[in-house]
Amino acid sequence: MKTRLVLLFSFMLLIFINTTECNAMPTDEFEELRNSIRLSYADSPLDGLKFVNALIETTDLTLEQKIIVTNYKAWFLLETEQLESAMETIVKYMNMVSQSNEKDLMYGYFNISGGIYARLGLYEEALAYYRDAMPFAQSRDERLVYQTENNIALIKLNLKRYAEAATAFEKYRDYAHNNKQTLNESFASNNLALALIGLKQYPEALNIINQAMRLQTQFDYTTHLAASLILKGKVLRFQGLLVESESVLNDAFKLIETKQLESEQLNIILCLAQTYEAQGNTDKALDILASVESYTLNHAHFETQLSIAKLTAELYEQKQSYAEALSAYKQYSLINEAILTRQAKVNLAKALAEADVASKEVRISELTRAEQIKATKADAFKDLTIVVSICLVVILFGSFIAINSIDKQKQTLAKTLEQLSDTQNHVIEIEKIASLTALVSGMAHQLNTPIGTIVTASSLIDDYMEGLEEKFKARELSSKHFHKFINDTNSAKELVISSINRLAGIVEEFKALNVSIHLDKPMSKIQLPSYLKHRLAPYSKHLGKQIEFKIHGDEVAITSYPTILSDVLKTLVINSCEHGFIHSDQGVVEVTIKAFTHVVEITYQDNGVGINDEILHEIFTPFYTTNLGGNHLGLGLNVVFNAVKYNLRGKISAESCKHGARFVISLPIDARLIDDTSY
């Protein structure tokens, strides 16, 4: 270890000396540096992280070399479970790759992003990133292709797509075997066995496990051997061989304790407890579950911890020890809440990093333009007439207004992101945090277009200034050129101001998402049929449509917020007009009221074009719209969803319907009896 540290210190000194003589590190020296990074990581991921941080701060590298070192940093942050920092780093990495000619380096962005989302338990998002990584892997080498296919298979395993996962693991195992990669062969064999267990092909799984154990014993892969023993015990339990299962799992337990294999400790405790439960030995199962330390979340094994907490609660329920069962369920809830909070923090870190990168690009453009304007102004004062000077002053003044407007808008965006963070904290408290991923992604997508337009318009102003300067230096400047310059610059300025106004409009509409639960007016009693007829009547002629309302059902009164209920129905009517009756000037809306013991069900159905079944689960998602060309942000139905769930304390869903769109709203008879913390 000391020899290696001396070697690394000497190598760093050599790099420092060389960087005083040249601006970039030679390729062969950089390859030696990469090997040193790997050796440092092999000793400790934290040591590897410190090493790459020092390199980024002190070493002169080419852009491509910086990209590679930044990739190592993101990887090490991922391995040390610093997922927020890993997400921020990988966003910076993507921005660096976009400036490079080596576009296949984008593989690192998609691969590590997939790893981050896999660690968070967001498997659909992880699968999308790994699939995006595949074309870049194919352009580089075969090893990366197999690695990416294995990553995709691991995600499919977690998504319970066992058949697809089994096919991929078998292919990867054969590849590793043919290339004498015994460690990868062992790893793939265990994963293949897991997939076969999921498919309930127990004899085939047992055969694969036995083959893997022979390989693991031969090459002393102790951790993999322990995992194989646990899998074997699980298969025997599924086959009803409970005594044999207990024996194998006890062997695994001894191996894990002897070798101090912390990564498998939770798995063996869970599997042994499940076997004891299957034997009907509840007390023994609870005893081994009790050996798990009190709640300290290990994010690397959060799914196993959830299973342990759930099993503990169920066993206590069987014994009618309800206090202990409640405590276990509370621990389950705490683990789940911590996982959701972590997902939200990482997604917010990504959004903030992307916004920061975009803001810096705008600022660089502004500073560059300011320097060019100063140079042009200095040259113009030497030779141009008073008329030319006045024109330049006008141009500078217009540019100043544009820059000032951009600065103010950036401040507004910063405040909006701060509000988004506050909204996120509120959402966590009411267990609504799972939707934050789509919310942040949609907001970033909506903001990208006007921000890109501002950057492009600013670049055009730079080009116009540069052209004016060239004509002046060539003594070809004429009043016609100045007139064209002024017109073009004003057009670009108007484009900047228009985009800024669009940004402001997006922000205002986005604010509608923050449905307040602190209402100005108290709840009151509502006679539903008569109230709905009264509130819907004014919309019989709305947005150029002739609408017939048919309201019928049970005579029932509820206690709730009349204004919010009215706004919900109004939004549904607007949705029908803009989407359902898009090809017609007339429509029919039928509202049916059905009363139950504690709730009332309001069914809203129009006879419009309807909603495709494939997108029913998407329509309440923020920023989802089928009318992208109509300046729709896709927030209306999300606001309706939030109002019904968090203000009216009910439920709303969109149901499949042959003709038109159908929404079912379920509201409590008396919303005052619904505890705020229960929804």
Side-chain angles (χ1 to χ4, degrees), residues 545 576-584 609 627:
K545 311 291 183 180
S576 295
C577 291
E578 293 183 345
H579 299 283
F581 306 144
I582 191 170
H583 301 305
S584 173
V609 297
N627 190 5

Side-chain angles (χ1 to χ4, degrees), residues 160-366:
K160 299 182 179 180
R161 294 161 62 173
Y162 299 120
E164 298 173 54
T167 301
F169 287 136
E170 186 172 12
K171 180 180 177 182
Y172 186 55
R173 184 192 62 167
D174 294 343
Y175 167 78
H177 177 77
N178 293 335
N179 289 273
K180 302 187 184 315
Q181 299 175 2
T182 53
L183 184 63
N184 288 340
E185 182 182 355
S186 169
F187 180 69
S189 297
N190 280 357
N191 287 332
L192 176 57
L194 269 172
L196 292 173
I197 291 171
L199 292 170
K200 299 183 180 180
Q201 297 178 13
Y202 302 130
E204 295 84 349
L206 197 57
N207 182 44
I208 295 296
I209 293 169
N210 289 330
Q211 293 177 22
M213 289 173 62
R214 288 193 289 270
L215 179 70
Q216 293 152 1
T217 303
Q218 179 183 354
F219 290 97
D220 198 25
Y221 297 151
T222 308
T223 302
H224 285 193
L225 178 59
S228 294
L229 286 168
I230 293 173
L231 289 175
K232 186 172 183 178
K234 186 182 293 188
V235 171
L236 292 171
R237 172 164 55 84
F238 288 146
Q239 290 180 318
L241 304 173
L242 301 182
V243 175
E244 293 84 346
S245 173
E246 181 182 358
S247 176
V248 170
L249 291 175
N250 279 324
D251 290 342
F253 193 87
K254 292 175 184 176
L255 178 63
I256 290 168
E257 282 198 328
T258 302
K259 299 295 184 179
Q260 296 183 341
L261 305 177
E262 295 182 2
S263 62
E264 297 299 330
Q265 284 180 344
L266 291 178
N267 277 334
I268 187 60
I269 288 172
L270 176 63
C271 287
L272 264 174
Q274 289 170 335
T275 296
Y276 292 146
E277 180 195 21
Q279 293 173 346
N281 198 336
T282 302
D283 291 334
K284 200 169 184 180
L286 285 171
D287 286 342
I288 193 168
L289 289 173
S291 66
V292 178
E293 294 183 4
S294 60
Y295 172 65
T296 51
L297 178 61
N298 182 341
H299 286 293
H301 305 287
F302 69 86
E303 290 179 333
T304 306
Q305 286 186 284
L306 284 172
S307 298
I308 287 174
K310 186 176 181 181
L311 179 59
T312 302
E314 291 172 348
L315 291 174
Y316 275 124
E317 277 191 299
Q318 291 177 19
K319 294 188 64 178
Q320 296 184 350
S321 300
Y322 297 116
E324 290 83 355
L326 183 61
S327 177
Y329 277 124
K330 184 176 180 180
Q331 182 171 326
Y332 178 90
S333 178
L334 289 172
I335 297 171
N336 204 41
E337 182 180 344
I339 294 165
L340 293 174
T341 301
R342 193 185 193 211
Q343 292 173 353
K345 287 182 177 179
V346 173
N347 278 306
L348 185 60
K350 180 180 181 182
L352 292 173
E354 289 175 344
D356 183 58
V357 168
S359 176
K360 286 179 179 177
E361 289 177 352
V362 172
R363 188 61 182 166
I364 290 170
S365 176
E366 292 171 3

